[in-house]
Amino acid sequence: MPAVPLIIDTDTGSDDAVALLLAAAGGLGDIRAVTTVAGNVPVGTGTRNALISLETAGRTDIPVHPGCARPMTRPLSSAQQVHGEDGMGDIGLPDPTAAGHGTHAVEVLLSRPREHPGELTLVTLAPLTNIAAALLRDPALFTRYRHVYCMAGAADLRGNIAPTAEFNVWADPEAARIVTQAATPEKVTWIGWDVSRQDAVMTEADQRRLERLGTPMATFAHRINRTVADWARDVTGLAGYDLPDPVAMAVALRPGLVVEREQAYVEISVGDDTRGQMIIDRRVSAPAPNLTLVRRVDETGFKELLFDTLATPVAPHTGSGAATATPRIGPSS
Ligand code: RIB
Ligand code: CA
């Protein structure tokens, strides 16, 4: 299967980092650009983390474009209590050798699909601020991409950052509302936290298996997710840490992993008590669907794809930019 041409929008926390490895290594994705946005961590930190993650995959050639530093109308509410102050488990990762690109993320999100109409898949792993800003300038933006996959929402209303809301939609609900108003189910698919907590939880056995792989990417993935493992135990009560961004990325790379989906009309609540909640209208009288919602994924297939990719040795990149085959791991914590 040919590599999928990708644009990835990320707020690079520890699960985003694993999604970047999944896309960058093993020949699954052809990443044309990464754009960053404030979310898990401030945008500068997210940019640093994206550069570190790509370097760990030996891909310092992939450009990383910083984007919006705060949500559309609200102040930034980060998730550093979940992923650590640096978003990567606070294990002292060394600085990346590459730097962020000077072209703004929103310009890239607008220009690349015009240069390559119908060719690029956009995968969003963060609050939808950059995407919404691009849509305000080009309302037909989604028609220019081959498909748009968003790690967003919780279709079963079981939230992570709030009782009924998932973080990426909760952090910037106004942006999520702009996205749902521009979306069609043929072009936009949401993979919500309901999928992650059911089909992408790294159990203790999975975590031991990852640790035993011992490759640079596996060691990196294991160590940066220690903080989120504690949060899962203490807050969401899962049987391990879940991987919402990697499972969304896996769906974009291998849509055959989806075992249950629906099309529905979705609005986003921007009220204070229900901020970020998905309002899903499944009545006969509902407006025409605007999103495809993935509801379940093949857990075994996802985890095999993940472990196979992280088990691959890092092939030094032969293109421009230095590649590195050494793990980006700082002093042991
Ligand atoms: O709710 C999970 C989402 O919020 C993931 O994208 C995670 O990285 C955080 O951004
Ligand atoms: Ca994310």
Side-chain angles (χ1 to χ4, degrees):
M1 181 179 279
V4 178
L6 295 171
I7 303 286
I8 302 173
D9 190 71
T10 177
D11 58 341
T12 334
S14 53
D15 66 312
D16 304 66
V18 177
L20 288 171
L21 298 181
L22 186 61
L28 299 171
D30 169 14
I31 306 176
R32 305 292 179 85
V34 172
T35 55
T36 60
V37 67
N40 282 320
V41 291
V43 66
T45 307
T47 301
R48 176 184 188 271
N49 294 343
L51 291 163
I52 290 170
S53 303
L54 292 171
E55 187 161 346
T56 302
R59 296 303 309 275
T60 52
D61 58 302
I62 294 172
V64 178
H65 298 265
C68 297
R70 49 156 295 175
M72 301 293 279
T73 64
R74 299 169 187 260
L76 172 63
S77 299
S78 73
Q80 288 164 290
Q81 75 281 16
V82 177
H83 297 272
E85 193 64 23
D86 72 355
M88 302 282 269
D90 296 329
I91 59 173
L93 292 169
D95 288 335
T97 55
H101 196 284
T103 303
H104 192 277
V106 174
E107 298 302 332
V108 173
L109 290 164
L110 288 163
S111 62
R112 291 301 181 92
R114 285 182 183 274
E115 296 156 5
H116 306 278
E119 180 189 337
L120 302 176
T121 292
L122 171 62
V123 181
T124 77
L125 307 174
L128 293 159
T129 316
N130 282 344
I131 315 309
L135 282 167
L136 293 180
R137 289 175 53 186
D138 180 6
L141 182 70
F142 288 156
T143 67
R144 307 187 200 288
Y145 281 95
R146 179 186 178 87
H147 203 86
V148 180
Y149 293 92
C150 303
M151 192 282 131
D156 63 352
L157 302 188
R158 178 171 163 178
N160 54 8
I161 199 70
T164 59
E166 175 277 323
F167 176 78
N168 287 338
V169 175
W170 176 88
D172 195 346
E174 288 77 15
R177 176 176 277 186
I178 290 170
V179 166
T180 57
Q181 290 171 344
T184 60
E186 296 75 22
K187 281 291 182 181
V188 184
T189 296
W190 280 21
I191 302 96
W193 193 65
D194 47 315
V195 173
S196 182
R197 68 172 185 81
Q198 295 178 92
D199 301 324
V201 174
M202 292 291 281
T203 63
E204 284 298 327
D206 292 326
Q207 293 177 46
R208 298 292 75 79
R209 178 181 174 189
L210 181 62
E211 198 174 16
R212 282 195 306 270
L213 283 179
T215 56
M217 289 192 290
T219 302
F220 174 78
H222 174 72
R223 295 193 57 221
I224 63 175
N225 278 291
R226 297 300 82 219
T227 304
V228 73
D230 295 340
W231 191 76
R233 179 193 62 230
D234 301 337
V235 177
T236 51
L238 302 181
Y241 62 89
D242 65 302
L243 290 173
D245 292 340
V247 74
M249 180 63 72
V251 167
L253 295 168
R254 293 286 184 274
L257 286 170
V258 175
V259 295
E260 183 183 335
R261 62 168 60 82
E262 65 172 320
Q263 294 190 352
Y265 178 74
V266 178
E267 291 188 355
I268 302 299
S269 171
V270 294
D272 286 340
D273 293 341
T274 57
R275 163 187 176 174
Q277 183 175 313
M278 291 173 73
I279 303 166
I280 305 175
D281 191 343
R282 297 184 176 93
R283 297 171 300 173
V284 171
S285 59
N290 53 352
L291 291 176
T292 293
L293 304 176
V294 174
R295 301 307 311 272
R296 295 304 298 263
V297 160
D298 170 6
E299 175 181 358
T300 303
F302 161 62
K303 289 182 177 178
E304 287 313 309
L305 185 70
L306 180 67
F307 284 115
D308 288 350
T309 302
L310 297 180
T312 54
V314 173
H317 182 72
T318 54
S320 61
T324 170
T326 53
R328 306 292 303 165
I329 299 291
S332 57
S333 53

